Amino acid sequence: MARHFAVPGQIVSARPFGSGNVNDTYLVISRTTYSEVRFILQRIRKAVFAEPVNIMRNMRIICDHCHAKMEAEQAEADRVWQLPKIIETEDGADFAIDAQGDLWRAISHIASATAFEMVQNLEHAQEAGEVLGHFQRLISDIPTEKLVYTLPGFHVAPRYLEHLERAATTPLGQTRLAASPEAQDCLAFVLARREKCFVLENAREKGLLPLRPVHGDPKVGNIMIDEETKRGTCIVDLDTVQPGLIHYDIGDCMRSCCNPAGEDAMDLDAVRFDTRLCAAIYRGYFHETRSFVTAAEREYFYEAIHLLPLELGIRFLADYLAGDIYFKVRRPAHNLHRALVQFKLTESVEAQEREVRKILEKD
Ligand code: GN1
Ligand code: MG
């Protein structure tokens, strides 16, 4: 599939790249007689994205919009901001379809920058916040009507609760629950927090929170840090950019970047929500977004920081009970363990609610 894309030279390798839980990603090397080009090749999983073409429609709009805006702002910027660009096929299309009907795309590789799987230090956290805020600001003036939903219902927590409750009653769900006291504890943990799942969607329905273009998946592993300057340079993985609440992003970035033990922490006791990291992320984020974020939106930031780890835990647990069909797993009960990590994180947020709220009041 790499050969479909308009890149000079000969393809010499295509190796698995990164650690995505959904799509398949490869780093491809194409050599010419004088140099080489590296690019990213990806297959979109139809099991998750029913209409992969929608991803490419949004991606085209977002890339064109952001690249133009980044270039216009470059003279004033404190760094060279980047965003991968779509590499067209030999026929000038934004993607190629294989014999199985799967969609493949190629994008430019952001070189001399690293996407860490875990937050490294306070500076890294602040950069993560700044990168997310910068991206949200760049896309904030794209009318939401111009974007399609690549993943309908994404981050709508009540929906995930429903999935979980349904998965728990299926024969497989019942078997997995009966075999695991940990899974039973997880389910009880969620049910004790059931009403929390509705907080953001209720506020949205009341008209308190506007729909805006959001990233959807600003986890630490999607944020690239310049190896030279140690500053953030770009956010990758635009698959879930669609209309949503900025709370999904701030909550997801926090749940990912404020847990120094990482999403796959083997030692559950090491999982905690680090408020110093939270303050650093918020500083970077708010620096970029203060121009458009409303007071009402800020009032719900704490709820988002509490909800997103709970929601991801619900998603992992539901997938475990449904037989691991959504998230790729690397070992048995991987999804159950992932859920346990997120619930530990949720508890840690709860225990520090006052402290977190104080951080979010700062201007
Ligand atoms: C999935 O595939 P990846 O790693 O980009 C998931 C996110 C989760 C994340 C947890 C489309 O993202 O929502 O936060 O795993 N993406 C989708 O690591 O469901
Ligand atoms: Mg993703």
Side-chain angles (χ1 to χ4, degrees), residues 217 222 237 239-240:
D217 192 10
N222 281 338
D237 186 357
D239 299 338
T240 51

Side-chain angles (χ1 to χ4, degrees), residues 19-22 48-49 151 154 217 219 222 237 240 252 255 263 312 315-316 326-327:
S19 58
N21 293 327
V22 173
V48 170
F49 295 101
L151 210 50
F154 193 48
D217 192 10
K219 61 180 187 179
N222 281 338
D237 186 357
T240 51
D252 196 67
R255 66 120 201 109
E263 232 173 76
L312 186 58
R315 296 173 63 199
F316 284 142
Y326 186 101
F327 296 104

Side-chain angles (χ1 to χ4, degrees), residues 62-63 66-67 70-71 74 77 79-85 108-114 131 134-135 138 222-227 229 231-238:
I62 293 146
C63 286
C66 291
H67 286 137
M70 280 152 63
E71 275 159 30
Q74 185 53 66
R79 71 194 80 183
V80 180
W81 288 100
Q82 297 184 299
L83 189 72
K85 74 170 183 116
S108 58
H109 175 231
I110 301 293
S112 56
T114 310
V131 170
H134 179 258
F135 182 73
L138 283 183
N222 281 338
I223 288 169
M224 312 232 20
I225 303 294
D226 183 325
E227 285 159 14
T229 62
R231 305 207 66 184
T233 167
C234 80
I235 190 160
V236 294
D237 186 357
L238 305 185

Side-chain angles (χ1 to χ4, degrees), residues 76-141:
E76 249 68 304
D78 62 355
R79 71 194 80 183
V80 180
W81 288 100
Q82 297 184 299
L83 189 72
K85 74 170 183 116
I86 299 171
I87 299 172
E88 293 177 5
T89 63
E90 297 283 1
D91 318 328
D94 281 349
F95 55 86
I97 305 286
D98 69 13
Q100 283 71 48
D102 283 320
L103 184 147
W104 293 73
R105 64 148 178 250
I107 56 173
S108 58
H109 175 231
I110 301 293
S112 56
T114 310
F116 295 94
E117 280 309 308
M118 279 187 257
V119 69
Q120 306 293 299
N121 49 41
L122 287 175
E123 291 70 37
H124 183 203
Q126 179 164 333
E127 288 305 310
E130 184 122 8
V131 170
L132 171 61
H134 179 258
F135 182 73
Q136 275 192 354
R137 183 177 63 72
L138 283 183
I139 61 176
S140 63
D141 56 343

Side-chain angles (χ1 to χ4, degrees), residues 1-7 11 13-18 23-29 38-44 85 87-89 94-96 103-109:
M1 290 312 291
R3 295 203 176 92
H4 284 73
F5 296 91
V7 173
I11 309 283
S13 71
R15 294 182 197 286
F17 186 75
N23 295 326
D24 301 316
T25 303
Y26 303 86
L27 177 67
V28 182
I29 301 180
R38 290 174 181 234
F39 68 93
I40 302 292
L41 177 71
Q42 292 180 301
R43 172 175 38 211
I44 309 299
K85 74 170 183 116
I87 299 172
E88 293 177 5
T89 63
D94 281 349
F95 55 86
L103 184 147
W104 293 73
R105 64 148 178 250
I107 56 173
S108 58
H109 175 231

